[in-house]
Amino acid sequence: MNYTWNWGIFFEPSPEGTGTYADMLLSGLLWTILTALASWAIAFCLGSIVGVMRTLPSKAARGFGTAYVELFRNVPLLVQMFLWYFVLPELLLPAAGAWIKQLPNAPFYTAVICLGFFTAARVAEQVRAGIEALPRGQRLAGTAMGFTVAQTYRYVLLPNAYRIILPPMTSEFLNNLKNTSVALTIGLLELTARARSMQEFSFQVFEAFTAATLLYVLINVVVIVAATFLERSLTIPGQR
Amino acid sequence: MTSTPIPGPDAPTPAGREATLPDDGLQQGPLIPPRTATTGEPMIAINAVSKWYGSFQVLTDCTTTVSKGEVVVVCGPSGSGKSTLIKCVNALEPFQEGQITVDGTKVKDRATNLPKLRSRVGMVFQHFELFPHLSITDNLTLAQRKVLGRSPADAEKRGLDLLARVGLSDHAKKYPGQLSGGQQQRVAIARALAMDPVVMLFDEPTSALDPEMVGEVLDVMVELARDGMTMMVVTHEMGFARKVADRVIFMDRGEIVEDATKSDFFGQPRSPRAQHFLSKILSH
């Protein structure tokens, strides 16, 4: 293989004119983190609502929840990304479509919404599983105390369900973080996109993707450590 | 024995109430304010209640009343519908036909505020169902604060007071998982009482307990009965029934087969099914 290693490449100025290649990768990392956090906020809230709906007595609520989950988890993320970015603006009124297309940072907003809705379907399934794992008597006890349905969820079911599903939710968070790389297809300059452009400008493909890989691993380790602390702080005394 | 309830006129004389029980708790005062007037007005009126799961009928035309201050024990073989019946009383289970009235409020009525009704009906479950993520104190105060709107200080005072009455003051800061089954069930009783219910429902409160813990829970229930609480108790503890029940209801296959005073029930049950059940349950 005729390849010239050059680990010093990170400190050479990038052709974009501002800063080095390292700065370029770090700005990509920043966008990755921003996209992951913003989309997780949507996924967590929306997923919790949809997951709760799937456990409600109301048939309409359960039906809506099921439809949501099946729609968003059965269409590939890449296809969803294209649908949100290329197809949706065309379906709206021309003025609204044009406004969306001209938004500054349109790829970022689109990626956040797309990932948020996609991951919400997965979060919803975790939340539903967590609630269904609780003894049936917990719901009865809350109801018998005079709690409304909303209060029973807020004070009794969800605090326990979230504790049960914390480990799989950590996985979902990590998945969501890594899925941000799909957004490079709609032009979001996140970490993978930045590694690719570094490779194209400098031809140092191995250095670029080694750095990207290490950065992904690094933030995932941070997340895992944080989740471990969270889990520890939420442990209930006396529970097995 | 200052707080023995005066049975209503239609309630049978509680003839066989032995005074020899260990009554340590009574020295600390009654669990609930003794009710002065037990006038025999029905606290729970169950009228021709039928319930189906799909095409399977679990309750058939059940009718009975529980007067204020009365203790009614519901027994019967498993699957006879006794748990289902008392869960209908606070609308944890819906029923298709008939009506239940609790303290004058119709259970099956769109106009009824069910959470409010339920907050006045205490319920104790077979598996305790304390909220595992909350400390004992929070278990006792949560519903007082969120349902009754009591201030945290008032709720805590009421909760800890009742915790002392069930003899568990030392455990206020612990979590349910750190207590034994018997202790958890006593907390569950205190939690229900903290809402100042007008009636208490017990759904097999001792069935999930290790044998050595049954006594401590029954002691609390006996005390409560003697303080004049209106109680509907699903249980196999015939000793408890003999001690404090005013009436015994025997159910089989979703029907109320026998609804008799305690002395009649244990003396000469009329139905063969009740006789058969009693012979099995009392023979060991």
Side-chain angles (χ1 to χ4, degrees), chain B residues 76-248:
Chain B
S78 71
S80 58
K82 44 196 194 315
S83 287
T84 310
L85 183 66
I86 70 160
K87 282 188 183 129
C88 286
V89 171
N90 61 352
L92 288 185
E93 293 272 4
F95 49 93
Q96 284 81 16
E97 279 178 17
Q99 184 58 276
I100 296 178
T101 315
V102 177
D103 201 18
T105 310
K106 284 181 184 152
V107 170
K108 201 175 77 177
D109 186 346
R110 275 166 184 254
T112 300
N113 180 346
L114 281 180
K116 189 161 179 228
L117 172 78
R118 291 186 183 115
S119 72
R120 306 181 60 226
V121 178
M123 184 145 200
V124 176
F125 295 86
Q126 183 176 2
H127 295 284
F128 333 133
E129 304 304 349
L130 294 178
F131 306 136
H133 61 297
L134 298 178
S135 70
I136 299 304
T137 307
D138 287 340
N139 263 283
L140 291 164
T141 56
L142 180 67
Q144 291 189 70
R145 286 182 282 123
K146 303 297 175 189
V147 177
L148 301 180
R150 287 181 185 159
S151 74
D154 287 353
E156 188 165 328
K157 185 172 178 305
R158 179 79 180 126
L160 293 182
D161 200 31
L162 283 160
L163 194 62
R165 298 292 170 78
V166 298
L168 294 171
S169 287
D170 296 346
H171 303 282
K173 299 261 185 303
K174 289 190 181 168
Y175 283 76
Q178 296 169 302
L179 301 188
S180 74
Q183 290 171 329
Q184 287 191 54
Q185 193 61 300
R186 281 147 71 196
V187 172
I189 294 172
R191 178 178 71 170
L193 289 174
M195 302 293 285
D196 295 316
V198 294
V199 49
M200 286 282 287
L201 307 174
F202 292 82
D203 186 8
E204 308 209 23
T206 56
S207 304
L209 294 174
D210 290 338
E212 78 269 21
M213 293 171 184
V214 170
E216 60 187 82
V217 172
L218 286 180
D219 284 348
V220 171
M221 291 169 61
V222 167
E223 223 179 282
L224 194 56
R226 295 194 167 165
D227 289 343
M229 176 56 84
T230 312
M231 291 162 69
M232 201 168 169
V233 185
V234 172
T235 186
H236 293 293
E237 295 292 338
M238 288 301 126
F240 172 80
R242 281 179 191 277
K243 222 173 265 173
V244 292
D246 297 305
R247 267 173 38 236
V248 178

Side-chain angles (χ1 to χ4, degrees), chain A residues 81-96:
Chain A
M81 206 61 94
F82 287 168
L83 287 175
W84 283 103
Y85 193 66
F86 298 115
V87 179
L88 181 74
E90 308 301 329
L91 298 179
L92 299 172
L93 287 174

